[in-house]
């Protein structure tokens, strides 16, 4: 599972999106807490495991102090 973790501040992920290398949205989830792996992406698309490779993620996070962050990065899937 892939999700975002915080330093114990109880932030909320407003939206977390995962894209393949061609920019196709393959997973998206809204309104869930950080630091809970069971809420994140399970490495699947249409109920099948994705191919190994690099996937791009984008997130909007609401911090406990009310600040809104937009973050992005990549995650590598290995099998």
């Amino acid at each position: 599972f892939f999700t975002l973790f915080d330093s114990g501040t109880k932030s909320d992920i407003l939206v977390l999106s995962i894209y393949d290398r061609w920019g196709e949205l393959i997973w998206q989830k809204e309104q869930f807490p950080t630091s809970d792996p069971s809420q994140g992406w399970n490495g699947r698309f249409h109920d099948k495991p994705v191919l190994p490779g690099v996937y791009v993620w984008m997130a909007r996070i609401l911090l406990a102090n009310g600040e809104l962050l937009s973050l992005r990065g990549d995650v590598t899937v290995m099998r």
Side-chain angles (χ1 to χ4, degrees):
F1 284 90
F2 171 78
T3 195
L4 302 175
F5 289 81
D6 64 17
S7 60
T9 59
K10 302 295 181 192
S11 302
D12 290 318
I13 299 173
L14 300 179
V15 62
L16 176 59
S17 306
I18 307 289
Y19 299 88
D20 66 15
R21 64 181 174 183
W22 296 281
E24 180 181 3
L25 178 66
I26 61 170
W27 183 87
Q28 186 169 17
K29 188 169 183 177
E30 298 179 0
Q31 301 291 328
F32 62 101
T34 57
S35 306
D36 183 355
S38 70
Q39 296 288 315
W41 179 49
N42 63 1
R44 300 177 79 81
F45 180 55
H46 291 306
D47 243 357
K48 296 180 182 168
V50 297
L51 294 174
V54 177
Y55 295 81
V56 174
W57 61 267
M58 298 177 75
R60 294 193 39 98
I61 300 170
L62 180 62
L63 301 179
N65 67 4
E67 184 180 355
L68 188 61
L69 294 178
S70 292
L71 302 172
R72 73 181 94 204
D74 57 69
V75 58
T76 301
V77 174
M78 299 178 352
R79 302 230 183 257

